Amino acid sequence: MLILEASAETMATCRAWKRGGARVGFVPTMGYLHEGHISLVRIAKESCDKVVASIFVNPTQFGPNEDFARYPRDLKRDAAMCEAAGVDLLFVPPVEEIYPVGSATFVNVEGPITSTLCGASRPGHFRGVATVVAKLFGIVGPDVAVFGQKDAQQLLVIRRMTRDLFFPVEIVAGPIVRESDGLAMSSRNAYLGPDERAQATVLWRSLQEAARMFEGGERRAAKIVAKAREIIACSPLARPDYVELVDNETLLPVQGNIDGTALLALAVFFGKTRLIDNAVLQGKESQ
Ligand code: AMP
């Protein structure tokens, strides 16, 4: 496995692969890898000849009071995991490679898909995400890029940007990978103290109960949200940021009854750690 820090060398390597007829898959990450990330590498490997992963803790997607400085990092372990998973090139640029002095271009995806949910709680977050992904697409030039459904809103933003900017990249979604007790895997789980970690299972329990209600025929959005909130409230350490039922494509809140497919999206603080999770409530009519 190649490990490269320079954009130019990464670009040259990927271009050479593509000239040789290889289909290139790409998995962008912020590192501190877990099985969720590796599942995306496996998906990329299914349809690609070469797989590039990146590790870049992107400063522009963090707010001033967020965890950029303390975001967990372990390049040695990450590299070993990537190599074992069959990554061909691990791109680990320093900040100056992605934002050289004088860089002045940012990508703004507008509308409810960036102003609701995490966009409301984290102003500027999706501008940072769209910008870095556009830059990484420019460097790697992938045929396929794989993103996790764990970050459902991010996935929609990337799909929108890719269409709007005519990037010749196929965006593929990977399912949420969970710990054995249901907690969605996340690099940020490492921040949780033992009590927080134990109580964080309320997120999965609330999503499961919501899915059960939906499968049982409940379509009143308010009822489902109330039940999800009630289960989260069983954890004294949980502080919800948002618990919302939204349209799966527009991310606008579902008013009244769910018609078709909806997304139940959660962001909940445990201490300073903000965890997100979601479930797609898929109506039979849209299956
Ligand atoms: P991150 O390193 O948190 O920026 O995540 C990098 C990619 O991995 C994103 O596309 C995430 O959606 C995806 N990802 C993170 N956690 C999971 C998970 N538990 N299951 C599946 N994909 C995930």
Side-chain angles (χ1 to χ4, degrees), residues 27-31 33-37 39-40 61 71 146-151 154 174-178 184-188:
V27 180
T29 81
M30 296 205 300
L33 302 180
H34 49 68
E35 193 50 37
H37 298 111
S39 72
L40 306 183
Q61 71 188 68
Y71 197 82
V146 192
F147 292 85
Q149 174 63 28
K150 157 89 177 357
D151 298 85
Q154 168 173 283
I176 302 175
V177 177
R178 299 180 177 281
M185 289 192 180
S186 165
S187 309
R188 290 190 167 101

Side-chain angles (χ1 to χ4, degrees), residues 16-233:
W17 282 338
K18 291 186 71 167
R19 268 198 310 278
R23 188 170 153 85
V24 174
F26 180 42
V27 180
T29 81
M30 296 205 300
Y32 213 68
L33 302 180
H34 49 68
E35 193 50 37
H37 298 111
I38 298 305
S39 72
L40 306 183
V41 170
R42 283 199 208 99
I43 292 171
K45 282 186 76 70
E46 279 169 19
S47 70
C48 298
D49 307 298
K50 297 285 184 189
V51 173
V52 180
S54 64
I55 294 177
F56 182 63
V57 184
N58 173 36
T60 64
Q61 71 188 68
F62 288 79
N65 299 316
E66 293 184 352
D67 56 341
F68 173 67
R70 68 184 186 113
Y71 197 82
R73 291 162 166 89
D74 187 345
L75 181 55
K76 216 170 143 197
R77 184 171 155 275
D78 288 352
M81 286 175 74
C82 284
E83 179 139 44
V87 168
D88 297 282
L89 193 175
L90 180 60
F91 179 44
V92 288
V95 172
E96 322 77 80
E97 278 292 316
I98 302 297
Y99 299 101
V101 175
S103 57
T105 303
F106 289 85
V107 179
N108 250 323
V109 177
E110 297 184 356
I113 63 166
T114 54
S115 63
T116 57
L117 305 177
C118 289
S121 318
R122 305 182 67 189
H125 171 67
F126 289 114
R127 175 182 187 257
V129 168
T131 299
V132 78
V133 172
K135 285 170 177 268
L136 292 168
F137 281 3
I139 295 165
V140 174
D143 297 287
V144 174
V146 192
F147 292 85
Q149 174 63 28
K150 157 89 177 357
D151 298 85
Q153 189 172 14
Q154 168 173 283
L155 180 60
L156 279 180
V157 171
I158 300 301
R159 284 196 195 283
R160 184 74 263 161
M161 174 190 77
T162 302
R163 279 205 291 275
D164 288 351
L165 297 182
F166 300 93
F167 287 134
V169 184
E170 182 193 339
I171 305 298
V172 172
I176 302 175
V177 177
R178 299 180 177 281
E179 302 287 356
S180 53
D181 63 2
L183 179 66
M185 289 192 180
S186 165
S187 309
R188 290 190 167 101
N189 292 349
Y191 297 145
L192 298 170
D195 293 346
E196 293 168 340
R197 172 63 187 83
Q199 292 185 26
T201 53
V202 291
L203 302 188
W204 173 231
R205 296 217 313 272
S206 70
L207 293 172
Q208 269 186 312
E209 180 56 23
R212 206 189 56 76
M213 286 170 79
F214 184 78
E215 278 157 24
E218 181 61 79
R219 290 294 181 274
R220 290 167 296 179
K223 286 276 177 200
I224 294 178
V225 169
K227 179 52 95 178
R229 285 187 176 279
E230 186 190 311
I231 294 172
I232 292 167

Side-chain angles (χ1 to χ4, degrees), residues 227-244:
K227 179 52 95 178
R229 285 187 176 279
E230 186 190 311
I231 294 172
I232 292 167
C234 295
S235 156
L237 295 175
R239 220 164 20 91
D241 175 8
Y242 62 74
V243 178
E244 284 191 52

